[in-house]
Amino acid sequence: MLDEHARISALKNMRLLDTMPSENFDRITRLVANYFGLPIAAISLTDTDRQWFKSKVGVDHNEIPRHKAPCSQVAEHKRPVVVKDLQKDDYYADSTLGQAGIRFYCGVPLVTPDGYGLGALCVLGIEPFEVTDEQMATLSDLAAMVMDQIELHHSMGRIDPSSGLPNRHQLMSDLSDLALHEKGSEQIISLIDLAQTTQFDRMMRVVGISYLDGLMTKVARILREHLDGGTFAYHIGPTQFAFIVPKGTKVEDYRPFLEQIMRALYNEVEFQITMTPSIGSMVFRPGETSAEEILRSLQSAVQDARIHPSKIAFFCPSLDVQHQRNFMIQREFPRAIIDDAQLSLVFQPRVDAASGLFKSAEVLLRWTHPELGPISPAEFIPVIEASAYARELTMWVIATSLQQLSKWNSTGFPIKLSINLSATNLQEADFWDRLSVDLARFGIDHDQIEFEITETAMMMETKGSQDLLETLAASGIQLSIDDFGTGYSSLSYLQKLPVRTVKIDRSFINDMQEGNRERVLVQSMITLCHSLGYEVVAEGVETREQAELLTVMGCDELQGYWLSKPIAADGLIRWMSDRHTAQHYRLEAISA
């Protein structure tokens, strides 16, 4: 009995039971059947109460009872067993095989290097059969090949040591095998991600690897308890698990199961505060989607799940297309920086509301990609600002703007430009040093520059960013709050920031046509900013009515399509010249 316990333990330690079919094993069983010229062959593993077939030819079912199974005798005694005719054998005649009409059986043991019998490589027929010594020797050689595959499966990086589950390499192999065995059938695969990369890094810094190993062991146990025998689980990353459910499972029936898994995780595992489990799933057809593409799509689904209230999401092709486009935008941006034909600047004028005099122009970035064509700033700027290229983006815009100012200065047009900064720029320790070098290189006066910073960026204030803003203001560079009213408006931060101008977001200007309440809100914002000593700019002015109303309200400057769309550098000078002089044209003279 002790030997049997050890044998079962050795078998389970191999992590072969209830795993997916594998072409590496199937090749051998096909070779056995063809070599003997018999209809049935199998790699049979002897479990506690069953014979489970890792590979099979000519058999529909996956297992038979262990009782009176010849393979069980092979595994127990680690010796070949040959039964020429089960119908004439007193012991096996009424066995499961005998009752199924099997007449001939021949099996050789599958033995581990430390001497445990796992099962048998067997061949069966429906007629009595005489096996030769040469055939027995060949079957034994093929059994050794089976054991080589088993050892490779177990020892060559296919099992995760912390969870005991098959790893990503095994999942990739199994997905490839599915393409051979289940081609065209619909299957569902899911990915559980317990933490984002940044969350994982913070957690590891605090709790260490031992905690993680224990946590993964608990999650693996939960999966084993909740997944039935036809569902295969894998541990494919430090905090990621995947499982494939049986074919024929319907999505509408599967969602409650995923919710059950999520509840079990939260109820039975004490997650660190930095961990937020999410489950992404997808329906796929083996053979039509590569294993690499399946895993990529699952990662996309997990990211969608993170922003879903339930933390569960199915792969959405349309969202995935957008994710891929964002990735392409991020990948292509470094090339655009060095390609003179892709990035360009345009300028949108700001005018004095009362007199119509030109005051300045806001710098806006445009990108025309050679394949994607024009890419909207609303699309590419958030992608780049959230990447490692945010610094390069601002450096290019500032340098190009200063170069353009230098050209204008040399032709007698000392224009003032307003340039947008991101929250990332405020955290750059060398921002002021780089800016000073560029200002000196192009010979630009500090008062020709204004930096626009969003409320959200302002609220990410640190000691370094506050010092930078103070330095910029002290040098004569003006600062303004962009999109005022859409972020975390706070009188406390307004009072301590060295800001001269506030730009009311276009959404409030558009809403003024809705009614008196909306107009009162804009008037209150203008009055508040004036009382704190700020000048007020209204952006997004698109009609004469808006311009006239804002002027009556006391707004200082206007910007928007009614005045001018964003225009190229030479177009800006023409825009000014068309009104006779850059210093003398009135609001009523510049209707669209």
Side-chain angles (χ1 to χ4, degrees), residues 548-567:
E548 292 175 346
L549 183 57
L550 288 164
T551 302
V552 171
M553 289 180 176
C555 186
D556 299 293
E557 295 181 33
L558 306 177
Q559 177 183 344
Y561 272 33
W562 180 70
L563 299 163
S564 173
K565 295 180 179 180
I567 47 182

Side-chain angles (χ1 to χ4, degrees), residues 322-337:
Q322 185 60 54
H323 294 320
Q324 292 190 59
R325 181 176 169 88
N326 288 349
F327 177 77
M328 184 177 182
I329 286 172
Q330 183 174 320
R331 184 191 63 195
E332 292 293 308
F333 187 74
R335 301 177 191 176
I337 285 282

Side-chain angles (χ1 to χ4, degrees), residues 249-289:
T249 303
K250 296 181 179 179
V251 172
E252 56 268 26
D253 299 330
Y254 186 58
R255 289 183 184 275
F257 169 73
L258 294 178
E259 293 170 357
Q260 178 185 355
I261 291 289
M262 188 67 80
R263 285 194 298 270
L265 289 173
Y266 275 105
N267 290 339
E268 301 180 39
V269 179
E270 185 177 347
F271 290 111
Q272 293 291 322
I273 193 170
T274 56
M275 301 186 76
T276 52
S278 302
I279 304 179
S281 304
M282 72 173 296
V283 179
F284 71 101
R285 293 181 181 272
E288 297 181 10
T289 308

